[in-house]
Amino acid sequence: MIAELAARHHGVVDLWELRDAGLSKRQVHRRAETGRLHRVFPGVYAVGHPSLTADGRRYGAVRACGPRAVASHLMGAALWGLRRSSRLEVTVPHSRGGIDTVIVHETRRLGPSDATTIRAIPVTSLARTLVDLADVLPADRLERVFDHAGRHREFDLREVQAALDRVPGRRGAPKLRALLGAPSPGLTRSELEDAFLALCRRARLPPPRLNAQLPFGDRLVEVDVLFAQHHVIVELDGAATHDTTPAFHADRRRDAIAAAAGFQTLRYTWERVTTDASAVTAELRAVLARRPPPATR
C-alpha cells in the first residue's frame, strides 16, 4: 500500500498517509532508521531511496506545509510551464512555522477557484499564479510570463480579473491590470521575440503584432514584428535561422519585396536587443516618427 501511495505521488509519502496505512509513529521511525524511508521534509518521506525528481520535491514541499497548502508563485509558474524555477514556494491558509528550503506565504484568501492540481501536486490556478507573480516579478519579466500564459489552454482573461478582485490591495495589481488592458501582440516563438516585445513595452512604443502575415503580390509573407499603421517591419535575426548564405539572400529579397509594397524593414540581433536596447529604442522611435499612419480619406 505504501509503495502504491508513493508511486502516485512522485515517490513521496507523508506521516499522515503512513499512519492511515496502519503504521505507528514508532514504526515510521524504525523504517527511517533502516533506510526504507528517507526524511526529505518534516513529516515527509521518500520511499526506498532519497533521490527525488523535481516534481517529487515539489510534492513533498507542499505536503510538509499541511493539507491545505498549494504550490505557488515561482514554483506554481514552473508547474504551469510559464518559466523555469527550482525554488520551492508554497501558499498556506494558516502558517505552521518555517521550513528550511521552502518559502511559505500565508494568505486569508485562497478559495476553491484559486487552486487546482497538476501531476497530483496541489497548485494555485493559472489566474491566481499570475496574481502572485505580479507581486514578485519586475514588470518586464511579468510581461513575458503573461505572454506565455496567454498560450495556455486554461488561460482566461476574465478569470485573471476575478482572481485579482478576490485579493484586493495586492502590490502587483497595477502591473497586472495594465497587461490585462493591453492589446494582445500575438504569440511569441522565441526568447528574442520575448525580449523585443519587452523592449517595446518599456519604451512605450506603439504595440506591434508578432508573427503577422502580409499579402505581398500573390502570396502571404510572415514577418516577425509588424507596426502595421506605420508600415514598418522588424525582423529579429537569430544565428540559427539567418546566419547562412541562402538565408541572407532570401532575407534581402523579402526586404526588397516589402519595400516595393511600401514597408520599411529593420533588422535586429539578440545582441543588439539585449545589450544595446537604448540605441534600438531610439532608432525605432525615429523610424516610426518619420512614417506616421497614412491619412484617411
Side-chain angles (χ1 to χ4, degrees):
M1 184 176 178
I2 294 172
E4 292 176 0
L5 281 172
R8 292 199 298 267
H9 297 148
H10 308 287
V12 174
V13 293
D14 60 42
L15 182 59
W16 300 273
E17 291 169 328
L18 292 170
R19 297 294 293 272
D20 288 343
L23 296 185
S24 67
K25 191 173 183 180
R26 189 170 190 176
Q27 288 174 313
V28 171
H29 288 164
R30 178 62 181 163
R31 291 189 179 212
E33 288 174 353
T34 58
R36 297 168 68 185
L37 294 174
H38 301 269
R39 183 180 181 273
V40 289
F41 297 102
V44 178
Y45 300 87
V47 177
H49 55 81
S51 299
L52 290 176
T53 64
D55 278 350
R57 288 187 54 77
R58 290 165 181 154
Y59 180 83
V62 171
R63 294 301 297 172
C65 293
R68 297 177 62 192
V70 293
S72 65
H73 295 75
L74 290 175
M75 187 159 86
L79 284 167
W80 281 106
L82 303 182
R83 59 170 292 166
R84 295 179 183 177
S85 177
S86 60
R87 181 180 297 190
L88 301 178
E89 205 158 4
V90 173
T91 289
V92 297
H94 303 286
S95 177
R96 302 180 55 181
I99 298 177
D100 290 345
T101 74
V102 180
I103 299 169
V104 179
H105 303 270
E106 186 175 358
T107 182
R108 291 177 294 175
R109 297 182 175 92
L110 190 68
S113 298
D114 294 318
T116 186
T117 59
I118 295 177
R119 300 190 295 276
I121 303 169
V123 61
T124 47
S125 66
L126 180 59
R128 179 58 183 266
T129 299
L130 291 171
V131 171
D132 291 337
L133 289 173
D135 283 350
V136 299
L137 292 181
D140 58 340
R141 293 186 182 179
L142 180 64
E143 289 166 4
R144 178 180 295 187
V145 167
F146 187 83
D147 288 336
H148 284 305
R151 310 177 195 182
H152 203 286
R153 60 184 177 83
E154 297 288 335
F155 182 77
D156 188 322
L157 282 173
R158 294 167 298 181
E159 291 185 6
V160 180
Q161 182 66 61
L164 266 175
D165 292 341
R166 288 194 293 270
V167 284
R170 297 291 290 265
R171 64 179 180 273
K175 290 185 293 186
L176 189 54
R177 290 191 191 279
L179 292 175
L180 288 172
S184 173
L187 300 182
T188 59
R189 298 177 180 173
S190 68
E191 289 189 28
L192 179 51
E193 290 181 3
D194 287 335
F196 184 82
L197 183 59
L199 178 150
C200 291
R201 285 173 169 162
R202 287 195 306 270
R204 298 186 178 180
L205 294 171
R209 286 171 50 204
L210 300 180
N211 300 302
Q213 291 190 329
L214 288 173
F216 289 154
D218 58 354
R219 62 175 180 152
L220 286 175
V221 174
E222 185 176 278
V223 300
D224 291 340
V225 182
L226 175 65
F227 293 91
Q229 290 185 319
H230 298 79
H231 279 211
V232 171
I233 294 168
V234 174
E235 292 294 335
L236 301 170
D237 294 346
T241 55
H242 296 272
D243 195 17
T244 64
T245 298
F248 177 89
H249 291 298
D251 288 343
R252 272 59 196 173
R253 284 195 298 271
R254 190 167 66 170
D255 291 353
I257 293 170
F263 288 84
Q264 180 175 352
T265 301
L266 303 176
R267 291 187 172 272
Y268 292 112
T269 61
W270 170 266
E271 181 178 5
R272 289 217 62 203
V273 170
T274 58
T275 67
D276 199 17
S278 59
V280 170
T281 299
E283 292 164 11
L284 285 167
R285 285 191 193 282
V287 171
L288 295 176
R290 288 200 304 267
R291 302 180 69 85
T296 57
R297 295 183 181 179

